[in-house]
Amino acid sequence: MFAQRDLDLPASVDAVTTHAAAIAARLRELLPGAGDVKIHKLLYYVQGHHLAWNGRPAFAETIEAWINGPVVAELWRAEKYDPPTEHEPFDAGVLEIVFMVASRYGHLSARDLIKLTHNEDPWRDLAESDDTTSSNTPIPHDSLLAFFSDDNDLTPVVRDRVAAVAAGGEWVPTDPGELDELEAKYSPR
């Protein structure tokens, strides 16, 4: 488990070179037919898990708390007017998180992901604060880091599996719940 004080978060996301559009394109390749709402919830999970595993954002864009959950607003607006195009490659650390997120959450519907994110602290804290989600409040990296580090600590078994795929193994989707079963089996009690 990572403690927030132990991580060296960049002072600015300007240092992050990967863009949410490139990650969204990869998610769409892995999960054909995934709609925009689902992709944006998966981007939230990529960002949160990447912060917890690597101590830095996976992509530069801000995630906002919209009424239906987390959304990468800049990407949402860009794709509304321009269809997705070819995007830059990104590093293996981001790719392993993308594989893990696709495997762990890819079987869920957009509606399921909305419900799930509404029950998680980063979105819920903003929804319950004086700021309303209708104002599209940015979700701070600190909030994502705290939640994904403390509440969603991934086991070494899952991490090893993801690393094997990132090292060149073939990505094969798992059955729904398989990763959760591994976490339950191997997590410290």
Side-chain angles (χ1 to χ4, degrees), residues 4-76:
Q4 185 173 348
R5 66 186 182 284
D6 296 335
L7 297 174
D8 185 23
L9 285 174
S12 165
V13 293
D14 295 337
V16 179
T17 58
T18 303
H19 294 282
I23 296 170
R26 186 66 168 143
L27 286 166
R28 286 183 175 106
E29 289 173 11
L30 294 171
L31 303 167
D36 292 341
V37 171
K38 182 172 180 167
I39 293 297
H40 281 265
K41 303 311 168 255
L42 296 175
L43 286 168
Y44 158 84
Y45 286 110
V46 167
Q47 189 76 305
H49 286 295
H50 195 272
L51 280 163
W53 281 23
N54 299 299
R56 65 185 190 286
F59 53 86
E61 294 85 356
T62 300
I63 298 174
E64 295 181 0
W66 286 15
I67 196 78
N68 284 324
V71 172
V72 181
E74 186 178 332
L75 177 63
W76 186 272

Side-chain angles (χ1 to χ4, degrees), residues 11-179:
S12 165
V13 293
D14 295 337
V16 179
T17 58
T18 303
H19 294 282
I23 296 170
R26 186 66 168 143
L27 286 166
R28 286 183 175 106
E29 289 173 11
L30 294 171
L31 303 167
D36 292 341
V37 171
K38 182 172 180 167
I39 293 297
H40 281 265
K41 303 311 168 255
L42 296 175
L43 286 168
Y44 158 84
Y45 286 110
V46 167
Q47 189 76 305
H49 286 295
H50 195 272
L51 280 163
W53 281 23
N54 299 299
R56 65 185 190 286
F59 53 86
E61 294 85 356
T62 300
I63 298 174
E64 295 181 0
W66 286 15
I67 196 78
N68 284 324
V71 172
V72 181
E74 186 178 332
L75 177 63
W76 186 272
R77 291 181 190 104
E79 289 185 340
K80 183 176 180 180
Y81 299 105
D82 296 314
T85 58
E86 287 292 317
H87 297 285
E88 76 278 0
F90 43 90
D91 71 48
V94 174
L95 187 59
E96 73 178 339
I97 299 297
V98 170
F99 285 133
M100 186 278 297
V101 166
S103 184
R104 186 167 194 214
Y105 303 98
H107 68 281
L108 298 172
S109 70
R111 182 181 283 312
D112 292 337
L113 289 166
I114 289 170
K115 288 179 186 176
L116 188 62
T117 58
H118 278 207
N119 287 308
E120 295 175 348
D121 291 346
W123 185 89
R124 190 179 54 222
D125 288 349
L126 291 173
E128 293 174 355
S129 73
D130 290 336
D131 298 328
T132 63
T133 55
S134 62
S135 66
N136 301 341
T137 307
I139 299 174
H141 285 151
D142 289 348
S143 176
L144 292 169
L145 176 62
F147 177 75
F148 284 92
S149 293
D150 292 341
D151 295 339
N152 291 308
D153 189 30
L154 297 174
T155 65
V157 171
V158 174
R159 213 169 172 176
D160 290 346
R161 219 175 192 195
V162 172
V165 170
E170 184 177 344
W171 181 78
V172 179
T174 60
D175 294 328
E178 182 180 348
L179 292 178

